[in-house]
Amino acid sequence: MGGKVQGQNGVSSEAPIRLLTPYTLGKFQLSHRVVLAPLTRLRSWNNVPQPHAILYYSQRTTKGGLLIAEGTGVSGTAQGYPQTPGIWTKEQVEAWKPIVDVVHAKGGIFFCQIGHVGRVSNTGFQPNGQAPISCTDKPLTPQSQSNGFDVAQFSTPRRLTTEEIPQVVDDFRLAARNAIEAGFDGVEIHGAHGFLLDQFMKDHVNDRTDKYGGSLENRCRFPLEVVEAIVDEIGANKVGIRLSPFADYAEAGDSNPEALGLYMVESLNKYGLVYCHMVEPRMKTVGEKCESPHSLLPMRKAFRGTFIVAGGYDREDGNNAVAENRADLVAYGRVFLANPDLPKRFALNAPLNKYNRETFYIPDPVLGYTDYPFLEDTE
């Protein structure tokens, strides 16, 4: 891939693959197009990022590489998994600072993914044991999880009143401000994977009759209010969003996902977001690829900013996506987790470490976290 070019002294060498060519992301100069996808790791005690995350993110940083931090809660009601980080308290902001600093020291660009799980939770994760909040009061059925829980139990959610929704919008705005205070270069709004924003967007979940339910425009109103509030707070050049219109994670499917995806990207164009990060239709459920007749291409063509794709990509597949202009950047999750030097391995077309699913979501600060080996120095 890439073909041969004449190097110094007439020695032929591999031309860099398209995945490893520079790219301008808004005001940021990227040296390659391999992005660290946001990955839940469940290693932030009491929702506070820990010092072991400094090494984890540092290992995966390259000069001019884009990293997206793991899903980070915007408020006390945003949690649905044990030991996930937040960014709604001063303590959390301070704990993120040394993690961000080490990424910047190595020349990386670091966005914080901020989100709210909505009904994908239970009373045990909620303040004072209250019900999780959502667009609906329809409960989720218990689910066998790929994330280390045998069966996840979900409590019946409480439907947010129309009057309460602006407060949740404000939680997102304050979380974005806190992320910038912690030193992050920007935020990625988590609008995917069956969590709160996705619950509002998807007609299999949203059964509201107020201005936040019913029509496509109404179902997208809350997510777009979040976008507008954050853009007003920190600037559009620091805001991206992740969407998964085709997925039905956590029973959040939609009857017309392509119309949903197109409506969202066309609406996002009005705000000038720096990127849209979209999950491939083939990733309909957690971690499993399937054949899909759908494509992200209509959304890619409609969106006027940087388009990031994710979902089961390997080196060849990702390189083709960039070469064929189906994406500007490609986010890698599990293979980047298992190969902290992934861009280097892609450059050399070196073999990859296999990931161990059993250690994705354990609380160990080393095992399956910072102990994946690097390529031995080949120079």
Side-chain angles (χ1 to χ4, degrees):
M1 206 182 300
K4 300 284 183 183
V5 294
Q6 285 297 106
Q8 285 183 314
N9 306 320
V11 178
S12 68
S13 60
E14 267 315 291
I17 63 172
R18 288 293 302 277
L19 200 52
L20 299 176
T21 55
Y23 181 78
T24 301
L25 173 69
K27 63 179 183 175
F28 307 106
Q29 295 301 318
L30 305 186
S31 62
H32 59 80
R33 299 163 187 250
V34 179
V35 178
L36 175 66
L39 295 164
T40 298
R41 302 312 313 271
L42 309 187
R43 287 164 168 91
S44 298
W45 320 147
N46 300 314
N47 309 126
V48 178
Q50 295 298 304
H52 47 250
I54 297 172
L55 179 58
Y56 173 77
Y57 284 107
S58 172
Q59 286 178 334
R60 286 154 186 80
T61 303
T62 49
K63 185 172 170 40
L66 173 63
L67 292 79
I68 307 169
E70 63 209 272
T72 299
V74 300
S75 67
T77 65
Q79 309 301 313
Y81 302 88
Q83 319 299 356
T84 48
I87 198 156
W88 72 88
T89 71
K90 183 73 174 165
E91 181 186 11
Q92 291 164 339
V93 172
E94 292 303 315
W96 273 115
K97 286 181 178 177
I99 304 168
V100 177
D101 286 348
V102 75
V103 170
H104 285 158
K106 292 181 76 171
I109 293 94
F110 205 8
F111 273 53
C112 182
Q113 190 194 66
I114 57 173
H116 192 300
V117 298
R119 69 174 183 165
V120 188
S121 187
N122 63 49
T123 55
F125 293 112
Q126 296 297 314
N128 307 312
Q130 66 196 43
I133 58 173
S134 182
C135 61
T136 183
D137 54 14
K138 291 186 294 190
L140 271 174
T141 52
Q143 291 176 358
S144 295
Q145 296 286 67
S146 67
N147 57 6
F149 307 115
D150 292 332
V151 177
Q153 300 289 342
F154 306 106
S155 303
T156 300
R158 181 177 69 78
R159 185 192 305 271
L160 284 163
T161 67
T162 309
E163 295 72 32
E164 287 177 301
I165 290 174
Q167 178 56 54
V168 184
V169 173
D170 206 51
D171 289 339
F172 273 87
R173 179 185 66 80
L174 290 170
R177 181 204 284 176
N178 286 345
I180 300 305
E181 187 191 331
F184 283 102
D185 297 296
V187 299
E188 175 177 285
I189 300 164
H190 196 342
H193 293 166
F195 289 164
L196 185 62
L197 272 61
D198 205 27
Q199 290 159 32
F200 271 82
M201 284 185 264
K202 301 285 184 66
D203 63 9
H204 290 185
V205 184
N206 188 333
D207 55 359
R208 301 178 74 89
T209 56
D210 63 359
K211 67 179 182 178
Y212 293 103
S215 69
L216 180 57
E217 292 78 6
N218 281 359
R219 285 183 279 119
C220 294
R221 187 186 305 277
F222 165 59
L224 292 171
E225 287 178 352
V226 168
V227 169
E228 183 170 22
I230 292 176
V231 166
D232 287 349
E233 183 68 34
I234 66 171
N237 63 344
K238 300 187 184 99
V239 184
I241 191 168
R242 195 178 212 203
L243 300 170
S244 59
F246 295 96
D248 57 9
Y249 288 39
E251 298 168 21
D254 193 80
S255 61
N256 193 342
E258 186 160 300
L260 171 60
L262 277 170
Y263 178 79
M264 279 300 291
V265 296
E266 286 163 359
S267 301
L268 293 170
N269 283 335
K270 299 169 194 161
Y271 299 102
L273 263 60
V274 71
Y275 73 73
C276 178
H277 179 185
M278 210 168 261
V279 179
E280 285 286 352
R282 63 191 178 195
M283 305 303 287
K284 203 163 175 65
T285 58
V286 181
E288 300 301 328
K289 277 203 279 191
C290 63
E291 290 299 315
S292 172
H294 299 290
S295 165
L296 296 181
L297 207 53
M299 280 66 93
R300 182 336 181 230
K301 288 177 176 172
F303 186 64
R304 292 204 288 266
T306 292
F307 199 73
I308 307 177
V309 293
Y313 277 93
D314 59 17
R315 179 183 186 268
E316 182 179 14
D317 203 11
N319 192 61
N320 289 342
V322 174
E324 294 163 13
N325 202 28
R326 289 183 280 116
D328 299 303
L329 308 173
V330 182
Y332 290 87
R334 291 163 291 174
V335 292
F336 213 150
L337 176 159
N339 296 274
D341 52 357
L342 188 66
K344 179 179 179 181
R345 289 177 189 255
F346 279 175
L348 299 172
N349 202 12
L352 302 181
N353 300 324
K354 289 187 167 55
Y355 54 79
N356 179 4
R357 193 182 293 278
E358 300 299 311
T359 59
F360 282 0
Y361 305 104
I362 63 172
D364 195 291
V366 176
L367 184 65
Y369 191 58
T370 56
D371 63 346
Y372 281 103
F374 289 73
L375 269 180
E376 289 187 5
D377 193 12
T378 53
E379 312 218 329

